[in-house]
Amino acid sequence: MDDHRISRSFPDPEGDAVHALVPLTLGGAPAVVGKHGDGSLWTCDLTTGERVARPIDLGSAAPEDPVPDAEGIVWDDEDAFEDEKGEADAYEVVSRLAATRLDGRPVLVTGGGRFDLTALLGEDHMGGAVRCWDLATGEKVGRTRTGHGLGVTALAVLPSERGPLVLGSSEEGVLLVSALASGERVAEIRGAYNGVMAAAVVDGRPIAVTGGHDPHVEVWDALTGEAVGGPRPTAGAHVSALAVTGLDGRAVVLTGEGDNTLRMWDLATGRPAGTPLSGHADTIQEITLTRLGGRPVAVTEGREEPPRIWDLARAEQLGAPLAVPGEQAPTAVTATRIDGEPAVVTGHHDGTIRVWNVSA
């Protein structure tokens, strides 16, 4: 296939569909962490295409402390708690992914699906736990973070004065903030049902923006859990995707809304910032950010349609959607930088990884 926007293409000999991708740097080279439908993890070097399996120690996935059951009862008898433990379901454990570095080594943060704890603790328990793993050894780092009643829908890692923070939002709208290294709880935030979340450092302050089944978004201090101002109204009845970036010297919130439109809002005032961007035929499910020539660029992933790239400063789409003729829409999308230039990386039903030029 000949497409001038595709700079690299790496087929998968096994042909297993890619279900998620997150960028990171390994040994100085750009790479992605990916997962298959069975929950297995691997890395792909974006310069050579080499893939390496990355198993994690699922035997350590269980919470260290008793967890309330569906009735809110905590079984604190140690023997009873041990008897309840089952085997971790890899698919549930790695429902969501984020990658970062801790003390110089690459680590993977995973958010569990709604039946994550069910597999481990029995049918009276539900919810997704958040965990951190050493990517090289597969060993768990710190404690298993519980507290989500349903599945984790969004993950982020932010620097702070207290060290790196993990933010996990879930279907029921609970956002939990914890220390990356230890798993210690830092804050608990009540956001909107459906748990859409984005996070960033704004003016030196780690913040989270939450939305979902409400016609507004809310901004929170990630260290204290306190609201920053009141709710910011949106144009639509619900928010399906969120991101935070800088535009013309100010922080802006990007929202994917019910009318399939990408909008920008001034984070401080809640007022519209720029022209709404339309083109998707269905719900915008994810927004990934990068920069091109210093300008903020958003990559939007619609339901069962090719991703689109938007120059936010110019309020225009960059080129055609990232479609492969004769193929279904990508199954996973992320953005990274290769040799200093922005790139979009897509995963596909047949396991292929493609690297796309942003500016072409």
Side-chain angles (χ1 to χ4, degrees):
M1 183 196 63
D2 183 18
D3 189 313
H4 71 285
R5 297 196 76 175
I6 299 175
S7 64
R8 296 164 191 177
S9 184
F10 304 120
D12 176 19
E14 303 299 324
D16 293 330
V18 178
H19 283 248
L21 291 172
V22 293
L24 79 166
T25 301
L26 288 177
V32 287
V33 180
K35 75 169 183 176
H36 291 312
D38 60 359
S40 59
L41 301 170
W42 39 270
T43 54
C44 178
D45 185 308
L46 295 178
T47 58
T48 66
E50 181 185 10
R51 300 195 195 198
V52 177
R54 300 288 179 173
I56 55 176
D57 180 17
L58 292 173
S60 65
E64 288 76 9
D65 301 310
V67 179
D69 64 16
E71 304 298 325
I73 300 173
V74 178
W75 297 94
D76 55 7
D77 180 271
E78 185 174 341
D79 293 335
F81 180 65
E82 289 295 330
D83 290 344
E84 290 180 354
K85 288 185 178 180
E87 294 184 359
D89 182 327
Y91 174 82
E92 291 288 334
V93 168
V94 300
S95 179
R96 287 278 173 170
L97 301 177
T100 188
R101 302 190 79 82
L102 177 64
D103 299 329
R105 69 189 193 275
V107 295
L108 186 67
V109 181
T110 60
R114 62 169 59 180
F115 301 112
D116 178 1
L117 294 180
T118 306
L120 285 163
L121 305 178
E123 62 183 13
D124 290 333
H125 294 80
M126 185 176 285
V130 174
R131 305 168 178 90
C132 180
W133 311 88
D134 186 301
L135 193 63
T137 66
E139 296 178 355
K140 191 174 73 172
V141 178
R143 304 174 70 81
T144 294
R145 295 100 158 143
T146 61
H148 292 304
L150 293 174
V152 175
T153 54
L155 283 174
V157 180
L158 291 180
S160 81
E161 62 189 35
R162 295 181 55 178
L165 303 175
V166 174
L167 293 80
S169 186
S170 57
E171 292 177 68
E172 77 275 21
V174 173
L175 194 164
L176 300 178
V177 184
S178 60
L180 175 64
S182 66
E184 177 188 0
R185 179 77 57 85
V186 173
E188 179 174 338
I189 296 167
R190 292 281 170 174
Y193 183 78
N194 204 34
V196 181
M197 184 266 292
V201 176
V202 177
D203 296 329
R205 181 192 217 180
I207 61 101
V209 181
T210 60
H213 285 181
D214 291 318
H216 61 255
V217 299
E218 295 180 89
V219 182
W220 310 88
D221 186 308
L223 283 173
T224 66
E226 297 176 351
V228 180
R232 280 75 160 172
T234 55
H238 71 276
V239 175
S240 58
L242 280 169
V244 180
T245 190
L247 178 64
D248 297 329
R250 56 181 170 168
V252 296
V253 177
L254 308 182
T255 58
E257 301 187 22
D259 60 358
N260 313 327
T261 299
L262 180 68
R263 289 184 170 85
M264 296 178 281
W265 309 83
D266 188 293
L267 184 142
T269 66
R271 295 172 182 168
T275 305
L277 303 172
S278 59
H280 281 287
D282 209 332
T283 303
I284 296 174
Q285 297 179 306
E286 300 285 348
I287 304 170
T288 306
L289 298 171
T290 186
R291 299 190 79 82
L292 174 64
R295 305 190 309 276
V297 170
V299 183
T300 52
E301 182 180 355
R303 180 179 293 148
E304 296 183 359
E305 60 179 305
R308 296 169 184 261
I309 305 176
W310 308 91
D311 185 318
L312 301 179
R314 298 175 179 175
E316 63 183 19
Q317 183 173 314
L318 292 176
L322 304 186
V324 178
E327 292 194 13
Q328 295 174 285
T331 52
V333 181
T334 192
T336 188
R337 301 191 75 82
I338 301 176
D339 297 329
E341 295 296 323
V344 175
V345 184
T346 57
H348 299 262
H349 287 273
D350 63 357
T352 298
I353 299 293
R354 291 187 172 94
V355 180
W356 304 73
N357 296 317
V358 170
S359 57

